[in-house]
Each structure stands twice: as structure tokens, then as C-alpha cells.
Amino acid sequence: MTGNELVPLIDLGPLAPELPEFLAGLVLLGLMWVVIAKAVAPRFETLYEHRASEIEGGIQHAEKIQTEADQARELYEQKLAEVNESVARAREEAKVRGEQIVREAKEHAALEQARMIAQARAQISAERQQAAHELTAQVGGLATTLAGRIVGESLDDDQRARRTVDRFLADLEAQPVRTAPDGAQ
């Protein structure tokens, strides 16, 4: 071996590069490193920051929307509770009002019934008096005619006829009421 030669630490055989190739490879590696560090890496870094800010903004936006949705749900539940209370109050008021209407209708019906009964009794009383008056007149006429035939004299005199009829009716009222065999009077 000559003194000029480098002694390889490891013998790579045919794979061992020559010094000019090795130096050119090192220069190219350095140049690539500079290009990547100055041009490519900043772009990747900018793109990464942009994506990170978009993701962070999306997360913040989603959190904001979630907060708004929670607030809207709470407001909805509060309004729903108020509506349910209002419906319950309205239902109770309607029930009370319905009971009051029924009570008033019953009172009105009772008053109307009492009025109709009183009116019917008054009408029955008036009709009874009218019937009694007509019956008295008919019985009086018949009694006068019969008495005139029995007595043999005419009872056309109104005063005399009236006294005779009154006596006859008084005698009829004084007699006890007889019942028929079937229980009818």
C-alpha cells in the first residue's frame, strides 16, 4: 500500500465510492437540504398552521354552535314548561267554569220548573173554578127544572131559583162521599 491511499475502515469492495463522487454527493445533499429548508419546509409549515387554524376555528365554531343549541334547548324547555302550566291553568279554569255553568243551568232549570209548576197549579185552579162554576150553573139549571116539575110551579124567578140551587148544593156537600165497589169515587 502506498501512503497516498486512504485506508478504508471497512472494506466495501466495489461499493466504495471514489472521493470525487463522495464529495459531489455531499454537496448535492447539502444543496437539497438548503432547498428543502428554505422553500419546501416553510410551505409545509404555512400549510400546517393554516390547517391547524382552520381546525381550531372549526372546533371553536362547533363549540359556539353547541352552546347556542344548548341555550335554545333550555329556552325551548322553559317555554314548553310555561305552555304546559298555561294549559293546566286553562284546563282547570275551564273545569271550574263548566261546573259553574252546570250549576247555573240546574238553578235556572229549578227556577223554571218551579215557575212552570206554579203556573200549572194556577191554571188548574182557574180551570177547576171555571169547571165548578159551569157545573154549578148546569146543576142549578137542572135542579131548577127538576124542582119546578116536582113542586108543580115555575121557578123562573131568578132569586127563588138561586136560593133553591144553593140549598140543593149545600145538601149535596153535606152528604158523605160514597165509594164505588171498584174503589173509584
Side-chain angles (χ1 to χ4, degrees):
M1 284 203 177
T2 60
N4 270 355
E5 290 185 7
L6 283 171
V7 177
L9 298 173
I10 300 175
D11 187 20
L12 295 177
L15 295 176
E18 294 290 324
L19 184 62
E21 289 176 354
F22 182 72
L23 290 177
L26 280 177
V27 169
L28 284 175
L29 179 67
L31 185 63
M32 282 180 63
W33 185 83
V34 168
V35 168
I36 288 175
K38 295 292 181 182
V40 176
R43 286 189 180 169
F44 276 126
E45 196 64 35
T46 304
L47 182 63
Y48 172 76
E49 288 174 7
H50 179 70
R51 294 285 176 141
S53 67
E54 282 182 358
I55 291 171
E56 186 66 29
I59 290 172
Q60 289 175 354
H61 181 70
E63 288 174 351
K64 179 182 174 185
I65 290 176
Q66 182 65 37
T67 303
E68 290 174 359
D70 290 342
Q71 290 173 349
R73 187 184 73 242
E74 289 174 8
L75 181 64
Y76 168 77
E77 289 173 354
Q78 180 183 9
K79 293 290 184 183
L80 183 62
E82 290 174 3
V83 167
N84 285 339
E85 287 177 19
S86 175
V87 166
R89 275 194 310 266
R91 186 180 304 129
E92 187 63 31
E93 289 173 3
K95 181 181 174 184
V96 168
R97 180 68 180 136
E99 290 171 355
Q100 181 182 5
I101 289 171
V102 168
R103 192 172 42 254
E104 288 173 358
K106 284 181 180 179
E107 290 172 1
H108 179 69
L111 290 174
E112 185 65 19
Q113 179 185 15
R115 185 192 64 78
M116 290 174 72
I117 289 172
Q119 185 180 10
R121 285 183 179 159
Q123 186 176 0
I124 289 170
S125 177
E127 288 176 2
R128 182 180 291 152
Q129 287 177 355
Q130 183 181 1
H133 181 49
E134 289 175 5
L135 187 59
T136 302
Q138 287 178 355
V139 169
L142 289 173
T144 305
T145 304
L146 182 61
R149 288 187 183 167
I150 292 175
V151 173
E153 61 181 79
S154 175
L155 296 176
D156 288 336
D157 181 18
D158 284 341
Q159 288 293 337
R160 193 183 311 163
R162 193 170 296 130
R163 282 193 308 267
T164 305
V165 169
D166 288 341
R167 222 176 320 128
F168 177 72
L169 290 177
D171 289 344
L172 278 178
E173 287 178 3
Q175 291 180 0
V177 177
R178 292 187 232 150
T179 57
D182 61 352
Q185 292 182 359

